[in-house]
Amino acid sequence: MTDVRADTAAALTAGIAVAQSETRVPSVAAGVVRDGELVWTGARGRFADAAGVGPGPDVQYRIGSITKTLTAVLVMQCRDEGLLALNDAVGKYLPGIAFGDRTVRHLLAHSGGMNAEPEGPWWERNPGVSFDELVAAMDESHAVGPADRRHHYSNLGYAVLAEIVARVRGESWLDQVQRRILDPLEMRRTSYFPFGAAAQGYSVHPFSGQLIEEPAYDSGAMAPAGQLWSTVEDLAKYANFWIDPVGEVLNRDTVDEMAAPAAADPREALTASYGLGLRLIAEDPYLLIGHTGSMPGFLAGLFVDRVRRIGAVTLGNATYGKVASLAPELISTLVRHEPVLAREWLPEPQLEQGNDLLGHWYWGNTPLTIAVSGGVLQLSGAMSCRFTPLGPDLFQGRDGYFAGERLRVVRAAGGVDHLNLATFVLTRTPYGE
């Protein structure tokens, strides 16, 4: 599939070819989305399955921790419906559990200081256990630090989150994933176990270069951290959801909340952080959101730029290789060859209120301007904020320093005397003189 220029398609193909060759991945499948459409797919390699069938956009691969983003969506759905609060303690829903004082928010952002993996055999390479068995092995002495200290990735935390949503709804995690996410987004080739055309997971011997088949067990209670299988075509639909949220799944405000930084690893400084179930990568002045994934024999990546309305998904069947990090590179390649055009300017709609606020203002003697942008009032200059009407002569900040703050219009003798923006007084002339 291609809806990009020939030179763009060649560059994207070259990118996955280099990754497949240099890092020895048996097969790589990838796709690029733009403005709600899957505009390019590509594949490289010959060994998607044990019979040597090649990769393609409808071949299933295990997506590893991209599964966590679906678990996070279920949590946010429960929050939006009032079934739980993000600041609720885990112990409210799972009495007596270790780390019960950590909050739902802590687990979503991996900021609760929980250990990364459950005790016992390596869960990714062994048959899964029940949630009761998982809980019996949890011990707060395994904490890696206090809550809110830093981002510390915890697969275990997502098993706990899935149990919470199962209990508050009285419906299994998997049934909720199917009914509340996969069905509405028409992701028909995303599943708990593979079916139809599906890749075999491999590791590559470091010296002989021979393929070794990796196991793919049912992860049991740890499934919400990394069990699911999917395809390039299905993940493209999922990527487009993060760009244009479907209200039946999540509203845009909730996606905005999930895509805001909540925790970070100090080593990554300001280059990357973690939101509520999403990995965030700074690409100044843009932000990529999504997730990486790995399970024995599989690697995956899904990232989107919501502002430029583009994204990429990558899947591979190797335990090690350049696959997850390839998705952001494909985005960069797309933009380098086909820069995203600025949105076409159109005349602004008539404001319901606020026309008499347009023009120049001053905070003291600092000049400011209020104009219409995108159908809303936009304050610019030394202060920048958009405002939504709340009532007659009352507005609320939508972003920036004044997000959530009130702007009140103060009138005198039938006209506007001044504006009170969270105690900042704005006048039509310097100092109102």
Side-chain angles (χ1 to χ4, degrees), residues 121-422:
W122 189 356
W123 69 273
E124 295 176 331
R125 279 189 166 82
N126 288 276
V129 301
S130 69
F131 186 74
D132 287 344
E133 292 174 291
L134 194 69
V135 169
M138 289 175 61
D139 189 331
E140 292 189 15
S141 67
H142 301 148
V144 298
D148 292 319
R149 177 67 58 85
R150 57 171 291 166
H151 171 82
H152 181 81
Y153 198 80
S154 176
N155 285 298
L156 181 58
Y158 270 73
V160 174
L161 287 173
E163 183 66 15
I164 291 174
V165 299
R167 294 195 185 187
V168 299
R169 285 202 186 277
E171 181 180 20
S172 74
W173 167 83
L174 182 59
D175 286 346
Q176 290 183 59
V177 166
Q178 186 67 53
R179 183 174 64 85
R180 303 182 66 88
I181 304 175
L182 303 183
D183 289 347
L185 298 182
E186 299 183 351
M187 296 171 65
R188 300 186 178 94
R189 291 279 287 142
T190 301
S191 55
Y192 192 88
F193 292 119
F195 69 94
Q200 167 65 48
Y202 294 108
S203 63
V204 180
H205 193 280
F207 305 118
S208 72
Q210 299 296 301
L211 299 182
I212 303 167
E213 291 191 6
E214 289 274 27
Y217 292 112
D218 180 345
S219 299
M222 290 296 294
Q227 174 71 30
L228 295 181
W229 296 68
S230 191
T231 68
V232 166
E233 290 178 343
D234 261 19
L235 289 183
K237 296 175 183 178
Y238 192 49
N240 282 323
F241 158 75
W242 291 106
I243 297 171
D244 283 318
V246 175
E248 185 179 353
V249 179
L250 284 180
N251 63 57
R252 185 171 294 275
D253 286 344
T254 298
V255 172
D256 290 345
E257 184 179 359
M258 296 176 74
D265 184 331
R267 295 174 305 172
E268 294 177 325
L270 298 179
T271 63
S273 59
Y274 206 87
L276 301 179
L278 295 171
R279 180 77 167 154
L280 316 180
I281 300 176
E283 192 177 74
D284 188 38
Y286 301 102
L287 178 70
L288 303 184
I289 70 167
H291 218 288
T292 57
S294 67
M295 288 292 279
F298 293 98
L299 297 164
L302 182 157
F303 285 94
V304 303
D305 179 335
R306 300 174 68 209
V307 173
R308 291 181 289 182
R309 300 176 56 77
I310 53 179
V313 298
T314 49
L315 297 170
N317 58 334
T319 299
Y320 172 80
K322 185 178 179 180
V323 176
S325 62
L326 184 58
E329 291 189 12
L330 295 182
I331 293 174
S332 296
T333 299
L334 176 68
V335 173
R336 186 167 60 252
H337 285 262
E338 298 185 26
V340 177
L341 298 179
R343 286 192 176 185
E344 182 181 1
W345 180 85
L346 296 172
E348 296 287 350
Q350 182 69 32
L351 288 177
E352 293 184 7
Q353 70 178 65
N355 276 303
D356 53 352
L357 306 187
L358 303 179
H360 296 299
W361 292 88
Y362 293 86
W363 171 48
N365 62 0
T366 301
L368 304 166
T369 301
I370 294 180
V372 182
S373 178
V376 298
L377 290 181
Q378 170 74 59
L379 175 69
S380 58
M383 303 174 181
S384 179
C385 186
R386 295 181 299 162
F387 293 95
T388 298
L390 288 182
D393 287 341
L394 182 64
F395 299 81
Q396 186 171 47
R398 295 172 56 163
D399 44 33
Y401 182 82
F402 294 105
E405 300 284 3
R406 305 295 178 89
L407 182 150
R408 291 179 170 82
V409 180
V410 180
R411 296 183 181 273
V416 177
D417 182 77
H418 65 276
L419 307 179
N420 186 315
L421 175 54

